[in-house]
Amino acid sequence: MRIEREGSLVPSVVAVIPARYHSERFPGKPLAKIAGKPMIQHVFERAKEARHVERVLVATDDERIQEAVQAFDGEAVLTSKDCASGMDRVAEAVRDFSADLVVNVQGDEPLISPQSIDAALLPLIEDSGLSLSTLASRIQAEHEFLDPNVVKVVFDQNHIALYFSRSPLPYHRKAGESEGSGETLRGGGHEAGPAFKHIGLYVYRKEVLMALCRTPPTPLEKIEGLEQLRALESGYKMRVVETDREAVGVDVPGDIARVEAALRR
């Protein structure tokens, strides 16, 4: 349902934070305390600050997370424990909603910027021809460029995603030569820059989200282990929005101290 805001009709927007209790590297991660509050509360409060978001809810498979969210007056819905991915959990949570746009906010990025959420939403608000959008930031360090856990994204001159990969991208064939603007990074014996790392926040048109969840995993998605490739392989246009507000993710318990230090800064 579209709503009227400032004299014009704009898409209605719901932000969903998928939060799974069981994690191989960090069980109970959404409830881990950061500066005295559970991590899921940090993510929820930042998503609520986004100007274009009208409703925020947590989609979880565990009553402990649901109770924690309700304790800080947040909204949480229980979803199936059988959801294969965060995208599936988000889709299940909004299946009966009338929202036009759905934002998938990662539950393990407690420093996600509300301004970045709004920046990712804006292309789909302004251009009805786009199906999805996501975020990326410039890679500044060689170890990130070479790290397979840091997903790289390349996009065309209109910032439409061409490919996502765990491999270093783009590859510059001629060492010492780099086209385009920005700093170059030295990696693997060749120069590759500017390079961008993917920040895992997505904005979907609701009908696109539902269609993707009905689509079986695609070949490149299975090879790279990256579900966003399903959208590209299915022919959807995904806008990549560059941001300098880098999120700090929590993958293991040791990351908590890093996030708390960033909060103090």
Side-chain angles (χ1 to χ4, degrees), residues 109 136-153 165-170 185-188 192 195-199 243 246-249 251 258:
E109 293 189 353
S137 63
R138 289 191 176 228
I139 295 176
Q140 303 294 339
E142 179 186 9
H143 70 86
E144 286 190 324
F145 183 65
L146 299 176
D147 187 347
N149 294 312
V150 176
V151 177
K152 275 67 69 174
V153 56
S165 180
R166 299 182 183 279
S167 298
L169 288 178
L185 296 169
R186 191 116 203 125
F196 291 86
K197 63 179 172 181
H198 181 224
I199 297 174
T243 178
E246 185 176 345
V248 180
D251 294 318
R258 188 163 57 96

Side-chain angles (χ1 to χ4, degrees), residues 186-245:
R186 191 116 203 125
H190 63 275
E191 290 193 358
F196 291 86
K197 63 179 172 181
H198 181 224
I199 297 174
L201 178 144
Y202 303 93
V203 182
Y204 305 89
R205 297 202 185 278
K206 186 189 172 186
E207 64 271 18
V208 172
L209 170 63
M210 296 305 179
L212 285 172
C213 287
R214 292 191 298 267
T215 303
T218 49
L220 291 173
E221 172 190 0
K222 290 189 284 188
I223 290 171
E224 293 265 12
L226 299 174
E227 69 178 24
Q228 61 268 41
L229 288 172
R230 188 184 312 178
L232 300 191
E233 290 184 85
S234 300
Y236 291 107
K237 290 174 65 176
M238 184 188 304
R239 173 70 61 80
V240 180
V241 179
E242 184 179 350
T243 178
D244 58 3
R245 298 174 182 268

Side-chain angles (χ1 to χ4, degrees), residues 49-53 113-123 125 201:
E49 291 177 13
R51 188 167 65 91
H52 295 297
V53 172
S113 160
Q115 292 82 6
S116 293
I117 296 174
D118 280 327
L121 272 162
L122 200 57
I125 292 174
L201 178 144

Side-chain angles (χ1 to χ4, degrees), residues 17-217:
I17 307 166
R20 191 169 62 94
Y21 187 87
H22 295 286
S23 168
E24 291 184 4
R25 291 187 294 176
F26 196 168
K29 180 166 61 172
L31 302 181
K33 290 294 180 67
I34 297 176
K37 295 191 294 189
M39 178 166 63
I40 193 67
Q41 184 173 355
H42 287 275
V43 181
F44 187 95
E45 291 173 348
R46 286 175 176 266
K48 286 281 284 187
E49 291 177 13
R51 188 167 65 91
H52 295 297
V53 172
E54 296 139 34
R55 185 176 182 180
V56 180
L57 67 150
V58 174
T60 183
D61 63 348
D62 195 278
E63 291 182 355
R64 287 166 289 187
I65 297 175
Q66 183 185 40
E67 291 169 0
V69 173
Q70 292 171 341
F72 61 76
D73 295 325
E75 183 179 4
V77 295
L78 281 175
T79 56
S80 169
K81 294 183 183 293
D82 297 327
C83 290
S85 67
M87 179 175 67
D88 293 317
R89 198 172 304 283
V90 170
E92 182 179 326
V94 301
R95 183 172 49 207
D96 299 323
F97 282 35
S98 58
D100 296 307
L101 302 179
V102 180
V103 189
N104 181 344
V105 181
Q106 300 302 303
D108 56 3
E109 293 189 353
L111 300 182
I112 186 67
S113 160
Q115 292 82 6
S116 293
I117 296 174
D118 280 327
L121 272 162
L122 200 57
L124 270 72
I125 292 174
E126 295 180 340
D127 184 351
S128 60
L130 291 172
S131 300
L132 308 90
S133 62
T134 192
L135 296 170
S137 63
R138 289 191 176 228
I139 295 176
Q140 303 294 339
E142 179 186 9
H143 70 86
E144 286 190 324
F145 183 65
L146 299 176
D147 187 347
N149 294 312
V150 176
V151 177
K152 275 67 69 174
V153 56
V154 290
F155 44 84
D156 68 16
Q157 294 184 26
N158 294 314
H159 279 243
I160 302 300
L162 296 172
Y163 194 63
F164 296 85
S165 180
R166 299 182 183 279
S167 298
L169 288 178
Y171 177 88
H172 281 247
R173 184 174 60 86
K174 296 181 179 179
E177 295 181 11
S178 177
E179 298 179 359
S181 59
E183 296 295 322
T184 59
L185 296 169
R186 191 116 203 125
H190 63 275
E191 290 193 358
F196 291 86
K197 63 179 172 181
H198 181 224
I199 297 174
L201 178 144
Y202 303 93
V203 182
Y204 305 89
R205 297 202 185 278
K206 186 189 172 186
E207 64 271 18
V208 172
L209 170 63
M210 296 305 179
L212 285 172
C213 287
R214 292 191 298 267
T215 303

